[in-house]
Amino acid sequence: MERLVADVVFDFSVKPRLSSERGNAMLVASSIYEACKYYDLFRKTVFKGRCALVTSYNPQAKDITLEDTGANTETEKESIYNTYTALLKDVVAKPSKTKTETYEDDVKELFKTQPANMRLLIVVDKLLTGFDAPPCTYLYIDKSMQDHGLFQAICRTNRLDGEDKPFGYIVDYKDLFKKVQGAMAVYTSELDHSVPGESPEVLLQDRLKRGREKLDEALESMELLCEPVQPPKSELEHIHYFCGNTEVPDDLKEHEPQRAALYKSTAAVVRAYASIADDLPEAGYSETQIADIKDRVNSYVKLREIIRQASGETIDLKAYEADMRHLIDTYIEADEPRKISDFGEVGLLDLIVKSGIAEALNNLPKGIRNNRNAVAETIANNVRSKVIKERLSDPAYYDKMSVLLNEVLADLKAQRISYEEFLKRIAEIAKNVQEGKSDETPAKLNTPAKRALFNNLNGNEELALKIDETVRRVKPNAFRGNQAKENVIKAALMALLGNDAAEVERIFLIITAQREY
C-alpha cells in the first residue's frame, strides 16, 4: 500500500493533467478497512487536506461497543470507526442529512468543480457508477473487479473537459486486462445492433498505433499550416506570415486567426509527441525518424514562442497553458534554458519600461534578436497590440501613439534614421504606450481616467477634472448596460458639455471603458 501511495504521489508531480492541477484521480480500494488505511497514508503526504474518503460506511457507536481488544491493539472495526470519527469531527450536518452525507456531498462537489483543492477520492463501491466528474483523469484500481462493475468503473475517466484531456487513464494493480476484455464482451453482447447508424460496439484500440496516427496527423497539419510561408522560411518570414505587415495598422489583428491556428496546432503536436515519447521505437519509428521528429517538434515549439513574442501575445491565459509548459519542460530539449527576466512573466513592453531597451532585447528568443528586421517588427507588433487593446479607453492618445509608430517605422524603412536611433525612439513610444501617458502629461492627471478625458477633450485639464469628479459623485453602482443608470451620468454630463448630445455620447463611451469607474 505504501508503494502504491508513492506511485500516486509521483504521478501527481509529473503527469501533465495532474501536475497542472487541471485534473484529479480516484483510487478504488478492495474494502472499507483498506480505504481507511489508504486515507491515513495519503494524509501523511502532500495530499493532506486535499483527499477524501467516500464509502458506504456511516459511523455508529454500536459498531465498536462489543469489540474486545488487548492493550495497544485496534480491530478493523475500531480502525474504521476511529478514522471516520476523526474525518467527521468538524463537519456540521446539513438539514435532513447525516454528517457523513454532508461530508460526501461537499467532497464530491469539490472533486467536480475544484480539482486543485480535491486531488484524490478514495472509494470502494460508491461513485463507480453514475458519477460524472470531467476533471477525473486517472483511476487507480487496487480491487478485483469484473463484468459490468469493472466496465462501469473504467468509464469514470471518460468525461472530457478540455483539449488537455483527450482520454483518461486506468492504472491497474490487479492485472485486470483480460477481465477488461471479458467485461467489454459482456457489455457489447447486450447492445442493440438493430438501430441504424453508427455501430454501438466498444472497441479496444492499440495505444501505440493510435498514438502514432495522432502524432503523424499533428505533424502533417503543422506542416500544412506553415506551407504558405515565403522562402527562405526563416524567423522573419514566419513573423510576416503570422503577424502581418507592421506598416499596416490593422494587419496584426487580421492575422490573428493564423496565430490562433499555430498555437493550437503546436499544442496538438506537443501532446501527441509526449503521449508516446518514451515508446517511439515500439510505435514503429526508426532512429532516423525519431531524430527528425524531435527536431521538428523542437522547431515548432521555438516558432510558437517567437510568434507569441513578436505579436505581443507573450502571456497566454488559456487554462491548459500550465499543462503545455510542463510538457515542453519535460519532453522538449531547449538550446538555451533561461529565465525570461527578473520581473517574472511580463511582456516585452513592461520589460522595456523596467529594464531598458538593451536588456529587453537580450531576453528575446535568439531567432529574433539576431535579426534587426525581426527585432524592429517584434517591438512594433507589441506596441501595436497594446494600442489595439487599449484604444477604446483613450482613442485620442492611442491614435497619436499609432501615428508615431507608423512614422518611426517609415523613417527606418526609408533609412532616414539609423537602427540605433530607431531603437531609441521606439523605446520611448513603447514606454508611453505601456504607461498610458507621456512626460508632458500634467501632474494633476494622476489616474488613467483623468488622462483619457484630458486627451479626448482637446487638452482641457479643468474640464477633464470636473467631469472625473462629477462621474465619481453621481455614478450608480453597476451602471454599465443599465439604461436608467447610464442616463443619470449622461444627464450630469449635459450641463458640463454644453448640452451637446453627440459629445455626451462620445465622452460617455470613454467613461464606460475606464476600469476605475
Side-chain angles (χ1 to χ4, degrees), residues 67-319:
E67 291 293 294
D68 184 20
T69 61
N72 299 320
T73 62
E74 185 180 62
T75 65
E76 285 193 11
K77 286 186 178 181
E78 284 183 318
S79 175
I80 296 170
Y81 179 82
N82 291 337
T83 298
Y84 262 86
T85 301
L87 188 72
L88 303 174
K89 182 176 65 174
D90 299 322
V91 175
V92 178
K94 294 177 182 176
S96 72
K97 290 183 180 290
T98 65
K99 292 177 72 170
T100 305
E101 290 170 334
T102 300
Y103 166 78
E104 290 183 358
D105 286 347
D106 290 344
V107 299
K108 286 190 292 185
E109 183 63 21
L110 276 177
F111 188 77
K112 290 193 288 186
T113 61
Q114 300 182 36
N117 294 320
M118 185 51 61
R119 311 295 282 132
L120 179 71
L121 288 185
I122 303 166
V123 303
V124 180
D125 294 308
K126 294 183 77 170
L127 307 189
L128 295 183
T129 59
F131 177 63
D132 290 335
C136 185
T137 309
Y138 280 72
L139 180 72
Y140 297 89
I141 301 179
D142 189 28
K143 176 183 180 180
S144 293
M145 307 169 73
Q146 59 187 7
D147 298 340
H148 283 84
L150 176 58
F151 186 80
Q152 290 282 351
I154 64 177
C155 288
R156 291 314 94 206
T157 65
N158 277 359
R159 303 298 181 263
L160 309 183
D161 64 345
E163 295 182 40
D164 57 337
K165 185 186 177 185
F167 39 73
Y169 296 85
I170 311 300
V171 185
D172 171 24
Y173 285 89
K174 290 293 186 181
D175 195 22
L176 299 177
F177 183 69
K178 290 182 179 178
K179 290 186 177 181
V180 169
Q181 293 175 301
M184 303 268 278
V186 169
Y187 177 80
T188 54
S189 68
E190 300 174 0
L191 293 174
D192 184 0
H193 292 77
S194 63
V195 180
E198 189 174 342
S199 171
E201 296 291 343
V202 179
L203 303 176
L204 284 174
Q205 298 187 40
D206 185 302
R207 179 180 70 88
L208 294 180
K209 180 181 177 182
R210 182 69 184 120
R212 175 167 181 158
E213 289 174 359
K214 290 184 69 174
L215 178 56
D216 290 344
E217 289 169 4
L219 289 169
E220 183 179 359
S221 296
M222 194 72 176
E223 195 171 319
L224 289 172
L225 178 65
C226 295
E227 189 175 350
V229 176
Q230 294 296 311
K233 294 184 180 286
S234 69
E235 286 83 359
L236 187 59
E237 284 73 38
H238 281 88
I239 291 173
H240 288 162
Y241 179 72
F242 288 105
C243 302
N245 185 347
T246 54
E247 297 174 16
V248 180
D250 295 331
D251 238 19
L252 184 65
K253 185 71 175 175
E254 291 292 325
H255 284 71
E256 193 173 296
Q258 285 101 308
R259 295 196 300 280
L262 173 69
Y263 303 151
K264 186 173 182 179
S265 295
T266 307
V269 167
V270 172
R271 291 197 178 97
Y273 175 71
S275 69
I276 59 169
D278 298 326
D279 305 298
L280 291 174
E282 290 80 1
Y285 291 107
S286 67
E287 289 187 12
T288 303
Q289 288 174 317
I290 292 172
D292 177 61
I293 289 171
K294 287 182 178 179
D295 287 343
R296 290 170 67 188
V297 174
N298 192 25
S299 68
Y300 291 143
V301 170
K302 289 179 180 177
L303 174 62
R304 172 183 186 259
E305 183 60 23
I306 284 171
I307 298 305
R308 288 176 65 189
Q309 292 267 6
S311 62
E313 295 166 335
T314 51
I315 301 178
D316 189 342
L317 298 179
K318 290 179 180 170

Side-chain angles (χ1 to χ4, degrees), residues 444-470:
K444 288 184 179 179
L445 305 176
N446 52 9
T447 71
K450 291 176 183 177
R451 292 193 289 270
L453 291 169
F454 172 78
N455 292 328
N456 290 275
L457 291 166
N458 296 318
N460 189 331
E461 182 179 350
E462 182 181 352
L463 181 57
L465 292 172
K466 183 63 176 175
I467 290 178
D468 175 76
E469 183 274 327
T470 300

Side-chain angles (χ1 to χ4, degrees), residues 372-393:
R372 287 186 170 190
N373 290 332
V375 167
E377 296 195 16
T378 295
I379 300 175
N381 280 327
N382 274 260
V383 174
R384 186 83 68 195
S385 178
K386 181 74 172 180
V387 167
I388 291 170
K389 291 173 186 174
E390 301 295 337
R391 186 185 177 278
L392 286 179
S393 66

Side-chain angles (χ1 to χ4, degrees), residues 281-474:
E282 290 80 1
Y285 291 107
S286 67
E287 289 187 12
T288 303
Q289 288 174 317
I290 292 172
D292 177 61
I293 289 171
K294 287 182 178 179
D295 287 343
R296 290 170 67 188
V297 174
N298 192 25
S299 68
Y300 291 143
V301 170
K302 289 179 180 177
L303 174 62
R304 172 183 186 259
E305 183 60 23
I306 284 171
I307 298 305
R308 288 176 65 189
Q309 292 267 6
S311 62
E313 295 166 335
T314 51
I315 301 178
D316 189 342
L317 298 179
K318 290 179 180 170
Y320 52 77
E321 186 60 20
D323 158 60
M324 279 298 298
R325 280 199 298 270
H326 170 81
L327 289 177
I328 290 170
D329 291 344
T330 304
Y331 294 101
I332 311 299
E333 295 179 3
D335 286 343
E336 40 184 334
R338 71 198 189 287
K339 185 178 179 181
I340 293 297
S341 76
D342 292 332
F343 304 103
E345 193 166 325
V346 297
L348 178 61
L349 300 191
D350 263 333
L351 204 52
I352 290 173
V353 172
K354 292 175 180 176
S355 63
I357 187 74
E359 180 64 23
L361 298 189
N362 283 335
N363 282 295
L364 288 173
K366 186 169 65 174
I368 294 178
R369 69 172 181 263
N370 289 346
N371 185 315
R372 287 186 170 190
N373 290 332
V375 167
E377 296 195 16
T378 295
I379 300 175
N381 280 327
N382 274 260
V383 174
R384 186 83 68 195
S385 178
K386 181 74 172 180
V387 167
I388 291 170
K389 291 173 186 174
E390 301 295 337
R391 186 185 177 278
L392 286 179
S393 66
D394 193 344
Y397 180 77
Y398 286 104
D399 284 348
K400 178 183 175 183
M401 292 297 106
S402 183
V403 169
L404 292 176
L405 176 61
N406 292 338
E407 288 176 355
V408 74
L409 288 171
D411 287 346
L412 179 66
K413 183 177 182 181
Q415 297 183 342
R416 289 190 289 266
I417 59 174
S418 66
Y419 179 70
E420 288 70 22
E421 177 64 19
F422 163 79
L423 291 180
K424 181 180 178 181
R425 285 173 57 182
I426 196 75
E428 183 65 22
I429 295 172
K431 173 177 173 290
N432 292 340
V433 166
Q434 185 65 6
E435 295 183 344
K437 62 177 182 177
S438 63
D439 293 339
E440 294 79 30
T441 303
K444 288 184 179 179
L445 305 176
N446 52 9
T447 71
K450 291 176 183 177
R451 292 193 289 270
L453 291 169
F454 172 78
N455 292 328
N456 290 275
L457 291 166
N458 296 318
N460 189 331
E461 182 179 350
E462 182 181 352
L463 181 57
L465 292 172
K466 183 63 176 175
I467 290 178
D468 175 76
E469 183 274 327
T470 300
V471 171
R472 293 179 190 276
R473 175 168 46 83
V474 305

Side-chain angles (χ1 to χ4, degrees), residues 40-57:
D40 288 337
L41 288 171
F42 276 109
R43 282 199 305 165
K44 298 172 184 176
T45 71
V46 293
F47 286 89
K48 183 177 181 180
R50 299 204 292 174
C51 66
L53 191 59
V54 180
T55 73
S56 57
Y57 183 72

